[in-house]
Each structure stands twice: as structure tokens, then as C-alpha cells.
Amino acid sequence: MKDTKGESRSPATPDVADMERAFIVSSSHLAIPGNEDLSEFEFALTVVNHAFHRWMSRGMAAAGQPDLSALDTLILHSVNHRNREKSISDLMFTLNLSERHYLNYAMKKLDEHGLIQRQRRGKEVFVSTTQKGREACMEYARLRRICLLEHIPQNREVGDVTIAEVAKALRVLTGFYEQASRSAASL
């Protein structure tokens, strides 16, 4: 190697600042140059999604409802939100569900466990939690405080950003993925 004056020098360990950043991705064929960060984001999203689903299922199991999936848990908490009944279309919109049969299957299970009740008014079905459903949600919330919230930093920072900033970025990215879905559907 030659230094800036053109003189020979022995190769040294490269400066860390000069090294390319190593991206953590699950699919190298998607990590095309210039877009590695998006592939890294998608892998992180996949891992956090699975961890979140695992937490919801195990948290609800600890709350006394071991047969509920993550989607069942999400739907139960959404139905319980503000202690007001919800329409099927409200639930689908709020949870960004595109397939009604997933919601129907989950509601059937929640109904069989005595956690929700359904009422038909005209063509619309409205759902609300039963006392048992509200108690399950409250126990889940209590366990969430103990198992999760106590480990979250009080300043709400993760790295150099707050949890609120991460949530805002995820909402913006959701729009990009929604548009990509529409584009793919039109191909």
C-alpha cells in the first residue's frame, strides 16, 4: 500500500469508520445495493412481529385464556376498547384486516370462550365484551405492566429515538407498503 506521499507502507487494519456497515437481513437477494436498510428494517419487523405475537399469546395464557392466538387477543382488546360495542367493519378497519374470515373465526372462538357477545342490528353485527372478557383484558393489562412495562426505559427512548417516534415512522411506512400492495395487485 502507498500512503498519501506515494511511499510504501504495510497494510494496516482498516479504520472502523472506513468499513462498510454490515446489514442484518434474512434475504440477501432482496438487499440490493442502496436498499439494504429497507431489507434490514423488514427483517427487524419480522422478528419484532413474531416476538409481539408470542408475547400476546403467552400474556393472554397467563391471564387465564391459554387458547387464544395473537389475532384473537388483538380482537378481544379492540372490542374491549373504551367499553363500547364495535361493528365488524369498525374492527376490520381499525386492525387493518383485509380478510373477514379471519375476524369471523376469531370472534367465534372468543364467543365460545364467553369473552364477547354479538348482536345483529339490521345488516350489521355489533360486538362487545362480556364481564369475563373485560376481566381477561384487565388481567392481561396487569401482567403487561409487570412483565413488559417495567422493562421499558422511563424516558421512552430506544437507541436514539423515542417509542412514539418509532410508532410514527411505522405508520408512515405502512402507507408505503399499502401502496406497494395496491401496485402489485394491479400487475
Side-chain angles (χ1 to χ4, degrees):
M1 289 182 84
K2 298 196 179 215
D3 65 14
T4 55
K5 296 178 186 176
E7 297 176 10
S8 293
R9 62 182 174 101
S10 62
T13 305
D15 187 345
V16 173
D18 293 338
M19 294 176 63
E20 246 183 79
R21 182 182 170 310
F23 290 91
I24 301 169
V25 300
S26 66
S27 305
S28 61
H29 63 281
L30 298 177
I32 58 176
N35 292 295
E36 299 93 347
D37 59 341
L38 188 59
S39 293
E40 185 172 39
F41 164 76
E42 290 172 343
F43 182 55
L45 186 60
T46 298
V47 173
V48 77
N49 182 52
H50 289 297
F52 180 55
H53 282 207
R54 197 168 27 259
W55 151 248
M56 285 188 292
S57 295
R58 292 197 176 145
M60 194 50 86
Q65 297 298 322
D67 298 329
L68 300 187
S69 70
L71 182 59
D72 302 334
T73 301
L74 280 173
I75 291 169
L76 178 62
H77 286 293
S78 188
V79 169
N80 192 60
H81 179 59
R82 299 188 193 264
N83 200 23
R84 291 192 307 239
E85 65 183 10
K86 313 293 183 302
S87 69
I88 300 299
S89 56
D90 287 341
L91 290 169
M92 291 192 63
F93 178 74
T94 301
L95 297 174
N96 200 19
L97 296 173
S98 58
E99 302 290 333
R100 186 173 175 146
H101 64 273
Y102 293 127
L103 180 64
N104 288 339
Y105 180 78
M107 287 195 326
K108 181 179 179 188
K109 189 192 288 188
L110 294 170
D111 200 8
E112 288 171 354
H113 282 77
L115 301 171
I116 64 167
Q117 54 194 7
R118 297 185 261 186
Q119 288 185 347
R120 180 175 289 279
R121 284 195 221 121
K123 293 182 179 182
E124 189 67 73
V125 174
F126 290 86
V127 186
S128 59
T129 50
T130 62
Q131 182 62 34
K132 183 178 178 182
R134 287 186 294 278
E135 288 170 2
C137 287
M138 294 309 296
E139 180 61 9
Y140 179 98
R142 185 185 76 78
L143 293 169
R144 183 174 176 265
R145 278 191 302 279
I146 294 166
C147 297
L148 179 65
L149 298 182
E150 288 184 7
H151 300 287
I152 302 293
Q154 285 190 332
N155 65 6
R156 316 308 288 164
E157 288 183 359
V158 180
D160 295 335
V161 296
T162 65
I163 292 173
E165 291 168 329
V166 172
K168 183 178 179 180
L170 286 171
R171 286 190 299 274
V172 170
L173 286 162
T174 297
F176 296 139
Y177 282 96
E178 290 290 347
Q179 182 58 45
S181 297
R182 284 189 289 278
S183 296
S186 69
L187 295 177

